[in-house]
Amino acid sequence: MSLNICTMLAESARRYPAKIALCADDQEISYSELWSQVTRLAASLENMGLRPGQHVALLLPNIPTFTLAYYAAQFCGLPVVPLNILLKSDEIAYHLGDSEAVALITCKELQSEALLAWHRCPKLEHMIIEGLESESSVATGPQGTRVHSLRSLIQEAQALTESYASSPNDTAVILYTSGTTGRPKGAELSHFNLFYNAQFLLTLAREKDLRPEEIRSLVALPLFHSFGQTVLQNSTLLAGGTLTFMKRFDPIQAAQLIQRFQINIFAGVPTMYYGLLNLPGIEAESLASLVLCLAGGAPMPEEVMRRFDKKFSVDLIEAYGLSETSPVASCNPLGGGKKVGSVGVPIWGVSFRLIDEEGAVIEENGVPGELCIKGHNVMKGYFRKPDATAEVLDNGWFRSGDVATRDEDGFYRLVDRKKDLIIRGGFNIYPREIEEHLYAHPAVMEAAVVGLAHEQFGEEVHAFVVLRPGVSCEEAELFTYCKERLAAYKYPRGVSLLDQLPKGPTGKILKRVLRERP
């Protein structure tokens, strides 16, 4: 038995060849044209010597090239490693090295950081750049790494006719996730994981009496993130619908695109809904084409959901998931059955349970416990990290690190996070990485980073620092220091200098006390 997720695109191209698959600015790409480009790029990847099982990293914004490269790699049986476009060169190098990627596909606007990272990655054999006019414009890299023009690779290749026969459990994507501790880890998601999770949106569309092929999705979520990649890209293309790309979310542009292309499905993190809700001049008719709105990636403020529902007469549905669960694990029901503040009930084929500190299953309703997830959506494990995998997977049950309660109707509500993970605008940030950068500063003796409540982003990153005795350093200097070394969504927006950090009897820093500071 074989299963390759590129079949989702192949079937839609067969059924709807003339239909528009992708829209970006004034560019429209039909299903037949997209499939032709996919099969020709796939041929070039094979001609370059890439073989099934090797990894291809993507450092691309929300542009059609992401989708093209994603499915071309899958066609050849090459697992994809999507990278956050906000990463700096040090971070890119870590991800490339840890994933053992042999090729990187990027674009001209991101090539400078990619090229800096490239020189530290001995296993990277090829770099492909979208928008590169001539391959000679970039020197050959270290270890004989070749630079290729994406346009040339597509134009010069003969299309392949048969995709690689991946097995359902073969790795399709390695998604890097902050998790709760340590450096980012690559969650291995199989073709089976992603194919079944892509059905989620189609099920909701049918419940809204929307034929799947009529789906018109606005891709405001970053495609390197599991939410945008599965719920929007893969689901829409499986349905035979149309994707409209936004490089970066802007509420004014989003409202204009929704009206212009009569978008009927929108999925976003709470900050996006916050932006649309508070956009001056936007009225209910501006978003009248919307049939289904999904929120996820971070806890949805109850007041924002109520106000959005009331203003736009859209039943905004909150779902829940993680990179390790492909991502969707639960969702509120449609048709007025949702519970505001809840992440709903497990989706089809997925089970939840709560456990206490000793690992015992909690049977009583209303009692908080760590949320564990089991089903077709759960990852294979973390790439090359058996110990980290064993910590979170137990007989198929994934320990989410989130603390939740269950009510008498089987609805789950997140009440806390077991660790200190910060979620800012839907992006996972783990404090330890930032703290390590701060500790590298010569003036810093101790540092603790926490997430503080923020109306727009859910949480904002804040650093508390104790300086070395006799050393002077301004808060502004530490702010700039972090900003230069960390991705834009990670660096602390606030830095506070303290005489000492609050600690418990064992010397552990009490971050709870820091969060409660006035």
Side-chain angles (χ1 to χ4, degrees):
M1 176 183 178
S2 65
L3 176 66
N4 188 315
I5 59 171
C6 76
T7 304
M8 298 190 296
L9 177 58
E11 284 299 306
S12 291
R14 181 181 62 82
R15 296 172 64 193
Y16 312 107
K19 190 176 179 185
I20 300 302
L22 312 178
C23 295
D25 299 323
D26 293 324
Q27 181 185 16
E28 293 185 341
I29 302 174
S30 69
Y31 271 96
S32 61
E33 183 181 358
L34 176 59
W35 185 245
S36 174
Q37 292 182 16
V38 164
T39 54
R40 281 183 279 143
L41 178 56
S44 287
L45 294 176
E46 277 199 1
N47 293 337
M48 287 158 53
L50 274 65
R51 294 294 175 258
Q54 292 184 308
H55 300 163
V56 175
L58 307 183
L59 183 67
L60 292 163
N62 283 6
I63 56 176
T65 301
F66 184 101
T67 303
L68 163 63
Y70 183 94
Y71 281 99
Q74 303 296 349
F75 192 103
C76 299
L78 303 167
V80 170
V81 186
L83 301 181
N84 189 326
I85 63 170
L86 300 178
L87 296 177
K88 300 294 186 182
S89 59
D90 285 351
E91 299 165 308
I92 295 170
Y94 166 76
H95 286 77
L96 292 175
D98 189 76
S99 67
E100 302 179 1
V102 297
L104 171 64
I105 302 177
T106 187
C107 58
K108 272 190 89 172
E109 65 182 272
L110 300 176
Q111 76 174 37
S112 58
E113 291 288 344
L115 289 169
L116 288 172
W118 172 30
H119 290 270
R120 290 168 243 167
C121 301
K123 291 189 177 181
L124 191 68
E125 299 172 3
H126 300 274
M127 183 179 290
I128 300 169
I129 302 177
E130 186 267 344
L132 186 66
E133 297 298 328
S134 169
E135 295 182 5
S136 62
S137 63
V138 179
T140 300
Q143 297 85 37
T145 306
R146 290 285 310 281
V147 176
H148 310 266
S149 161
L150 179 70
R151 180 185 304 171
S152 298
L153 292 180
I154 295 173
Q155 290 177 342
E156 296 170 4
Q158 281 291 116
L160 292 178
T161 58
E162 189 172 343
S163 63
Y164 179 73
S166 305
S167 73
N169 199 45
D170 282 350
T171 300
V173 174
I174 299 177
L175 280 178
Y176 273 82
T177 173
S178 301
T180 52
T181 58
R183 302 192 77 176
K185 300 179 289 291
E188 290 192 78
L189 303 179
S190 69
H191 290 269
F192 183 81
N193 289 150
L194 295 173
F195 177 76
Y196 272 84
N197 214 240
Q199 314 290 327
F200 166 73
L201 185 65
L202 279 65
T203 300
L204 293 183
R206 292 187 183 101
E207 290 183 27
K208 281 287 189 179
D209 294 325
L210 178 65
R211 294 170 61 188
E213 64 271 21
E214 295 174 347
I215 288 175
R216 296 184 297 275
S217 302
L218 180 61
V219 188
L221 290 162
L223 287 172
F224 59 75
H225 193 282
S226 57
F227 193 3
Q229 193 180 131
T230 296
V231 177
L232 292 176
Q233 176 188 264
N234 292 348
S235 294
T236 301
L237 295 178
L238 169 64
T242 300
L243 290 167
T244 297
F245 291 87
M246 286 187 72
K247 273 192 175 181
R248 178 171 293 185
F249 178 76
D250 174 80
I252 296 175
Q253 184 188 6
Q256 291 171 342
L257 289 172
I258 289 170
Q259 287 183 295
R260 176 183 172 187
F261 293 101
Q262 289 297 286
I263 300 297
N264 49 36
I265 289 184
F266 182 83
V269 295
T271 52
M272 294 179 179
Y273 290 102
Y274 180 95
L276 288 168
L277 184 61
N278 292 279
L279 183 63
I282 185 171
E283 302 299 334
E285 55 268 24
S286 303
L287 307 185
S289 62
L290 291 177
V291 173
L292 177 63
C293 288
L294 289 166
M300 185 73 185
E302 296 183 23
E303 185 58 31
V304 173
M305 178 179 282
R306 290 191 179 97
R307 289 170 55 201
F308 196 92
D309 280 350
K310 182 177 180 181
K311 181 171 183 178
F312 298 110
S313 301
V314 174
D315 192 15
L316 174 57
I317 299 298
E318 185 169 7
Y320 166 76
L322 308 97
S323 296
E324 292 92 338
T325 60
S326 304
V328 186
S330 70
C331 184
N332 272 272
L334 295 170
K338 74 178 180 184
K339 293 190 178 184
V340 176
S342 164
V343 295
V345 296
I347 63 171
W348 182 90
V350 174
S351 300
F352 281 6
R353 72 181 183 188
L354 302 175
I355 61 173
D356 61 21
E357 290 291 335
E358 284 70 45
V361 176
I362 298 171
E363 303 290 352
E364 300 85 359
N365 293 326
V367 178
E370 183 178 2
L371 180 59
C372 299
I373 304 164
K374 189 174 187 178
H376 56 73
N377 59 337
V378 174
M379 67 171 182
K380 296 168 61 176
Y382 295 120
F383 180 67
R384 295 279 196 267
K385 291 179 172 54
D387 291 343
T389 299
E391 288 178 7
V392 298
L393 281 179
D394 179 17
N395 194 30
W397 287 96
F398 170 69
R399 299 185 62 160
S400 71
D402 289 322
V403 177
T405 59
R406 179 185 56 246
D407 69 15
E408 63 280 1
D409 298 319
F411 281 66
Y412 288 79
R413 180 184 295 264
L414 300 181
V415 295
D416 201 354
R417 284 187 296 279
K418 191 174 182 181
K419 303 292 184 181
D420 294 319
L421 175 68
I422 299 169
I423 301 181
R424 180 187 187 273
F427 288 102
N428 289 354
I429 303 167
Y430 41 6
R432 179 176 172 181
E433 182 182 8
I434 304 169
E435 290 163 358
E436 287 177 348
H437 279 280
L438 285 167
Y439 275 106
H441 191 285
V444 174
M445 183 174 71
E446 290 185 317
V449 174
V450 302
L452 301 182
H454 190 277
E455 184 180 15
Q456 181 178 359
F457 295 112
E459 287 184 302
E460 191 58 276
V461 184
H462 194 97
F464 293 91
V465 173
V466 176
L467 299 179
R468 296 182 182 277
V471 178
S472 63
C473 182
E474 298 295 327
E475 294 170 350
E477 180 184 335
L478 294 173
F479 170 82
T480 302
Y481 175 84
C482 291
K483 186 176 181 180
E484 291 174 347
R485 288 162 174 79
L486 292 162
Y489 68 96
K490 291 182 183 177
Y491 66 83
R493 272 19 184 217
V495 178
S496 298
L497 296 178
L498 303 179
D499 293 330
Q500 61 181 7
L501 297 178
K503 297 175 182 176
T506 62
K508 181 179 179 181
I509 297 172
L510 301 177
K511 292 189 175 182
R512 171 182 50 81
V513 176
L514 292 174
R515 293 190 194 97
E516 294 171 355
R517 284 176 60 89

